[in-house]
Amino acid sequence: MQTVGVIGAGKFGITVAKLLSRNVNVVVYTRNLDSINRINAEHLIMNTKLRESIKATTSIEEICAKCQLLFAVIPSSGFRSMMKDFCPYLRPSHIMIHATKGLDVSHHSHEDFYKWTFNRKEVHTMTEVILQESNLIRVGCMSGPNLSSEILAGQPAATVIASDYDEVIELGQEVLHSNKFFVFGSHDLKAAEIAGAFKNIIAVASGILSGMGLGKNMQSLLITRGLREMIYFGKAMGTSANAYLGTAGIGDLIATCTSEDSRNYIFGKRLAAGEDFEYIMQTSSEVVEGVRTLKIINQLAKNEKLALPIVQVLHKVVYEGFDKMRALEFLMHENHAPDVDFL
C-alpha cells in the first residue's frame, strides 16, 4: 500500500488523510475545486498544514486506479449516492473502510425528512450500503473517539478498525498507526457502526444539558443511561453487548458528549440557548449526524416497541419543541429503572 485514497475533504476526511500521510501517499477525492487548489497548490486547508504527499483530485477513475484501499468519509445522507458514482470504477480487489457515523434511509428524499416513516428493513448501515451498491467484498469501518480538532493539533488518540476480515483490520492498522495514533481491531462490525451512530444522539442531549446550565452529575448520568440505551438498541439489532464497552462504544460516547469540538454537542447547546432549529442546521460548519440519526432510531424504536426513553423524549424536544425542563423531569421520574440490566 504505497498510495491510499480518501473520499471526502471535510474536516474528518482531511484528518484521516493527515493520519495516513505519516505512512503512505494519499489521494483525496472531492468535487470542491477550492479544496483541490488548497491541497495541491498551498498544502494548507482548514488552517491545517499538509504534507506534499497528499494530493487531491475530482476524478473518481483516478483515485480508484491509483488506490486499492479507500477510506470513505462522507455524511450518511450522501453515502449511497457516492457509492453509486464510484460503482463503475470499483473492482472486487478494492478494500473500503468507511468512517461515517450514521445510518442510511436514502430512498426517502431529504425534502421529506420531517415526514419520514419506514421499517427496519429500510434502514442500513454504511457497510450494507457499500455491499448493496458495489461488487466490493472486503469492507470495514473506522470508529472511536476521533475528534478532528485534537488529532489535527497533534494530540494522541485511538480508533477502532472493525471488519469481518482480518486482512482489512491489519491493513487499516498498518496505514493509520503512529506513535500518536493507536489502532485497535474488532470483528464486531455492526456493533461498531451502531455505536458510532447512536452516540451522536446522546451527545445532542448532553449539549442541551450544558446549555441549560446543568453540571457533571447530570452529564455523567446521561452518559451512563445513554450507554444503557445504546446497548439495549444494539442487542435488539442483533449485536452483542461487549463491543459497546470498548473504544468504539463508551470511549466515543464520552468524547462526543463532553467536548466543545463535538458538532452534535454544540448543536444541543445552541438549541438549549434558544436558537432556531433550522438556523443551527444551516449555520453549522459540519453535518450534525445526530439530528438525522435521532429521527431514524426513534422511528425504529416505535416500530420495534423498544423502550428508549432518552431517544423518545429527546425527539420530542428537538422536533416538537417539547419543554426541556419537563423532558428532564420526565426522565428523572422513570419508575424503578434498574441500574445495570444489559449484561
Side-chain angles (χ1 to χ4, degrees):
M1 287 296 155
Q2 295 182 341
T3 305
V4 174
V6 175
I7 305 169
K11 192 172 184 180
F12 195 60
I14 294 301
T15 301
V16 172
K18 188 169 183 179
L19 288 168
L20 290 167
S21 69
R22 294 169 175 170
N23 301 311
V24 293
N25 295 322
V26 181
V27 176
V28 177
Y29 167 80
T30 177
R31 291 178 292 187
N32 188 309
L33 295 179
D34 181 61
S35 295
I36 288 177
N37 180 64
R38 288 180 180 275
I39 293 170
N40 290 341
E42 302 174 21
H43 310 293
L44 179 72
I45 188 170
M46 301 176 192
N47 296 318
T48 300
K49 183 67 177 175
L50 302 178
R51 290 181 173 86
E52 294 186 14
S53 58
I54 299 176
K55 304 295 183 184
T57 182
T58 58
S59 170
I60 297 175
E61 183 176 9
E62 179 185 351
I63 191 174
C64 290
K66 288 183 176 180
C67 308
Q68 182 186 354
L69 173 60
L70 299 166
F71 281 80
V73 195
I74 297 291
S76 60
S77 59
F79 200 94
R80 189 178 291 274
S81 175
M82 177 275 294
M83 284 304 305
K84 288 179 178 179
D85 291 341
F86 269 72
C87 180
Y89 305 96
L90 293 171
R91 303 179 300 276
S93 59
H94 279 107
I95 297 171
M96 183 174 285
I97 299 172
H98 78 82
T100 300
K101 296 179 178 180
L103 297 168
D104 169 77
V105 281
S106 54
H107 64 285
H108 292 272
S109 69
H110 186 71
E111 289 73 22
D112 295 331
F113 182 80
Y114 298 107
K115 303 176 183 177
W116 280 357
T117 56
F118 43 81
N119 59 47
R120 181 172 172 176
K121 292 181 180 178
E122 296 175 289
V123 179
H124 306 283
T125 65
M126 298 305 108
T127 292
E128 290 169 339
V129 173
I130 294 169
L131 296 175
Q132 289 164 2
E133 298 293 346
S134 73
N135 56 9
L136 296 184
I137 300 168
R138 295 171 296 171
V139 298
C141 84
M142 176 181 177
S143 190
N146 299 152
L147 296 169
S148 296
S149 298
E150 293 184 8
I151 297 173
L152 292 175
Q155 296 184 23
T159 196
V160 174
I161 299 295
S163 176
D164 294 330
Y165 295 88
D166 288 337
E167 179 183 1
V168 176
I169 296 171
E170 291 165 3
L171 196 53
Q173 291 174 321
E174 178 183 334
V175 297
L176 283 170
H177 180 77
S178 72
N179 60 357
K180 287 191 175 180
F181 198 71
F182 191 86
V183 186
F184 295 99
S186 170
H187 290 108
D188 207 336
L189 174 56
K190 190 171 184 179
E193 292 182 285
I194 289 174
F198 201 103
K199 57 90 183 180
N200 286 330
I201 296 174
I202 308 304
V204 170
S206 182
I208 290 175
L209 292 182
S210 177
M212 293 170 67
L214 300 176
K216 295 301 179 183
N217 285 336
M218 279 306 305
Q219 190 178 56
S220 64
L221 177 60
L222 172 71
I223 292 172
T224 304
R225 301 307 290 176
L227 175 64
R228 176 188 176 276
E229 290 194 17
M230 178 192 290
I231 293 174
Y232 181 59
F233 177 78
K235 289 175 72 174
M237 296 297 109
T239 67
S240 70
N242 295 344
Y244 302 99
L245 303 178
T247 307
I250 184 63
D252 202 3
L253 185 63
I254 292 171
T256 313
C257 288
T258 60
S259 175
E260 295 283 340
D261 291 326
S262 163
R263 68 195 79 168
N264 296 283
Y265 175 86
I266 291 300
F267 171 89
K269 194 170 182 179
R270 290 177 66 183
L271 189 70
E275 292 189 49
D276 178 70
F277 174 94
E278 292 294 348
Y279 177 75
I280 301 172
M281 295 296 283
Q282 292 169 7
T283 56
S284 293
S285 59
E286 301 171 90
V287 175
V288 185
E289 286 279 10
V291 173
R292 187 172 183 272
T293 306
L294 172 62
K295 189 162 188 63
I296 296 171
I297 291 184
N298 181 70
Q299 181 68 49
L300 287 177
K302 285 183 180 179
N303 296 349
E304 303 291 323
K305 295 180 171 56
L306 301 176
L308 301 176
I310 295 174
V311 169
Q312 291 155 343
V313 171
L314 182 63
H315 186 273
K316 290 180 71 66
V317 169
V318 172
Y319 287 105
E320 300 174 32
F322 191 71
D323 182 75
K324 301 170 188 64
M325 188 55 70
R326 286 186 63 197
L328 180 60
E329 290 171 356
F330 176 83
L331 290 173
M332 291 296 289
H333 285 87
E334 188 182 355
N335 289 333
H336 307 294
D339 186 19
V340 178
D341 61 349
F342 48 77
L343 296 179

